[in-house]
Amino acid sequence: MDILVLGSGGREHALVWKLAQSPSVGRLYALPGNPGMENVARLVDIDLADTEKIADFAGRIHASLTVVGPEAPLAAGIGDLFRKKGLKIFGPSQKAAELESSKSFAKNLMQKYGIPTAAYRTFDDLGAAREYVRGQGAPIVVKADGLAAGKGVAVAMTETEALDALGRIMGGAEFGAAGARVVIEEYLEGEEISILAFTDGETLVPMPPAQDHKRALDGDLGPNTGGMGAYAPAPAADAAVRQEALEKVLKPVALAMKKEGRPYQGCLYAGLIIARDGLKVIEFNARFGDPETQALLPLLDGDLAEILLSCAEGRLHEARMAWKKEAAVCVALASGGYPGRYAQGFPIKGLDAAGALSGVTVFHAGTKKRGGEIVTAGGRVLGVAAVGADIKNARDMAYRAAALIDFGDMRYRRDIACRALK
């Protein structure tokens, strides 16, 4: 089969890399893709926002399946457009994607169907939101309602931080329409985990639990980012936690979406916290996580193309998959200043040396070609992923590979997966 993958980041590079290993795959296309994908996929220069043009291209090449990486095309309704044209796509409809594109929708759905989550209030008025924060005090969590590339969440440890976050999200232009409404939640303490699942709307198959590192700096300090690293499987999610997530979160939300007339097909991502009084949902995402995907797919023992196609065709129960007994760690190499302002265009050295290490794959996230060299072109530039016998082995190898790479203003967290070692 010929497959089209939408997106240009590390998650999409991981998808293309794994799909290229599938014996059932013929030609691979990446739209718009990145330089790291060039050796296995044809790059297609079409704007991700032009969904009609993308659908026309998929039809023209007779794509057996289109796999959507980022959330924006899903929120724009690309799933509905493809299905209307009779094209197969892995990804939810626009209404189903509201699980991610509207935090207030997700919170209201969880409240209606008894899915455990933090107490919350939703605000459209900045003054009322500020008054609520002053009444509640800190710590407290402030979230932009719409899509904000993982950066629209502020875990405020002081009242001043919360008020500043409200000013940035609702009062500034940083988040645009995504910040017109906010969800303010109670602060929960506990271990955070991500559990992703394949689903065709009826059958649901969870992947191993992963843990993302959202803060920019070591020790979980600094602003929230799109994710500075991940590892899997996360030992904090033992068998009991995984079963609780399946029975109290994943299955109930899939059933709730079906009851609401929004059947969900694609990758269902649950961001969870293991709180003192049980498992609670932090957020849902309507696609593969980034950088969790870069740690999960190296552990998949199965034909990813067949799995994704079975979801799109409503027959996931027929798919065969297993997971390796090993562990994987992914470390994000970022531009200095990320998630704020940062310089671009620095030549990247050491890619071949790092990628030559046993068990290591370097996923491109924010790169481009300039002449004959690859240069930085984003906040998160690369994801260095390594597979090992256990977390420690994989972590050691990932950092060994990261040390071989260099570009101007490069920085990365030095404590990815440290919690697992404790």
Side-chain angles (χ1 to χ4, degrees):
M1 67 179 93
D2 295 341
I3 295 182
L4 171 62
V5 176
L6 305 185
S8 61
R11 163 186 50 218
E12 290 77 33
H13 187 182
L15 286 164
V16 167
W17 170 81
K18 191 65 178 179
L19 286 166
Q21 299 168 28
S22 298
S24 58
V25 171
R27 291 175 296 179
L28 264 174
Y29 299 84
L31 188 163
N34 66 42
M37 307 179 195
E38 282 186 321
N39 63 329
V40 292
R42 174 188 163 191
L43 305 191
V44 183
D45 187 18
I46 297 177
D47 191 332
L48 269 179
D50 195 341
T51 54
E52 283 283 354
K53 197 170 183 180
I54 294 170
D56 288 344
F57 176 77
R60 194 163 65 251
I61 64 170
H62 304 290
S64 304
L65 180 68
T66 295
V67 181
V68 186
E71 60 273 20
L74 296 169
I78 195 169
D80 305 271
L81 175 64
F82 267 59
R83 293 181 182 100
K84 183 179 178 182
K85 290 177 177 285
L87 299 168
K88 292 175 184 176
I89 189 166
F90 179 85
S93 67
Q94 185 176 41
K95 284 188 174 182
E98 278 196 64
L99 263 182
E100 176 172 8
S101 64
S102 173
K103 289 184 174 60
S104 57
F105 167 77
K107 296 293 281 191
N108 292 340
L109 184 85
M110 286 186 275
Q111 185 179 61
K112 179 177 179 179
Y113 288 92
I115 298 168
T117 188
Y120 72 101
R121 288 277 301 276
T122 302
F123 295 90
D124 298 302
D125 178 74
L126 177 58
R130 283 173 169 161
E131 185 178 342
Y132 180 76
V133 165
R134 292 189 183 102
Q136 293 295 308
I140 200 165
V141 180
V142 180
K143 298 181 177 180
D145 181 62
L147 298 177
K151 305 178 192 73
V153 177
V155 181
M157 302 311 293
T158 68
E159 188 177 303
T160 299
E161 288 178 6
L163 294 173
D164 287 347
L166 284 172
R168 284 189 302 105
I169 294 172
M170 297 189 82
E174 183 178 352
F175 298 99
R181 174 181 296 164
V182 295
V183 173
I184 302 178
E185 296 182 348
E186 68 170 320
Y187 172 78
L188 298 173
E189 283 193 54
E191 198 81 12
E192 290 188 30
I193 56 167
S194 307
I195 298 185
L196 287 64
F198 298 109
T199 180
D200 61 3
E202 295 287 342
T203 304
L204 188 144
V205 181
M207 303 178 211
Q211 186 173 74
D212 179 20
H213 296 64
K214 294 184 174 66
R215 298 293 192 108
L217 307 175
D218 286 2
D220 291 324
L221 300 175
N224 264 18
T225 71
M228 293 298 291
Y231 65 92
D238 59 19
V241 170
R242 296 195 299 273
Q243 189 64 26
E244 185 179 0
L246 181 63
E247 298 299 334
K248 294 187 177 180
V249 176
L250 294 169
K251 285 183 176 178
V253 77
L255 183 59
M257 293 295 282
K258 186 177 178 181
K259 286 182 176 178
E260 293 291 314
R262 304 169 185 246
Y264 192 101
Q265 176 264 96
C267 179
L268 177 61
Y269 172 123
L272 307 168
I273 190 162
I274 307 171
R276 292 174 182 173
D277 55 346
L279 205 63
K280 293 190 178 181
V281 177
I282 302 171
E283 64 177 355
F284 286 112
N285 289 329
R287 35 70 191 182
F288 284 99
D290 188 345
E292 291 97 337
T293 303
Q294 294 90 302
L296 286 166
L297 290 187
L299 300 177
L300 176 62
D301 187 6
D303 188 324
L304 179 62
E306 290 291 352
I307 294 168
L308 301 184
L309 184 64
S310 73
C311 288
E313 294 180 342
R315 51 176 185 83
L316 179 57
H317 63 281
E318 297 178 5
R320 298 176 63 184
M321 74 183 86
W323 297 89
K324 299 172 184 176
K325 300 298 183 182
E326 297 165 298
V329 173
C330 178
V331 178
L333 309 188
S335 298
Y338 174 77
R341 293 183 178 180
Y342 51 84
Q344 303 183 53
F346 296 108
I348 304 172
K349 301 175 184 177
L351 288 171
D352 290 341
L357 294 180
S358 177
V360 171
T361 306
V362 180
F363 295 115
H364 290 229
T367 67
K368 68 178 181 181
K369 271 193 171 178
R370 186 178 64 193
E373 62 183 0
I374 295 176
V375 301
T376 65
R380 290 183 296 172
V381 179
L382 301 165
V384 180
V387 174
D390 52 32
I391 293 289
K392 183 182 186 305
N393 181 271
R395 182 180 186 275
D396 289 347
M397 190 57 71
Y399 277 110
R400 181 180 165 193
L404 297 174
I405 298 172
D406 183 60
F407 55 82
D409 287 347
M410 183 178 85
R411 69 173 177 82
Y412 55 92
R413 281 184 58 163
R414 311 283 172 155
D415 62 347
I416 302 302
C418 273
R419 286 188 179 182
L421 302 182
K422 296 177 182 178

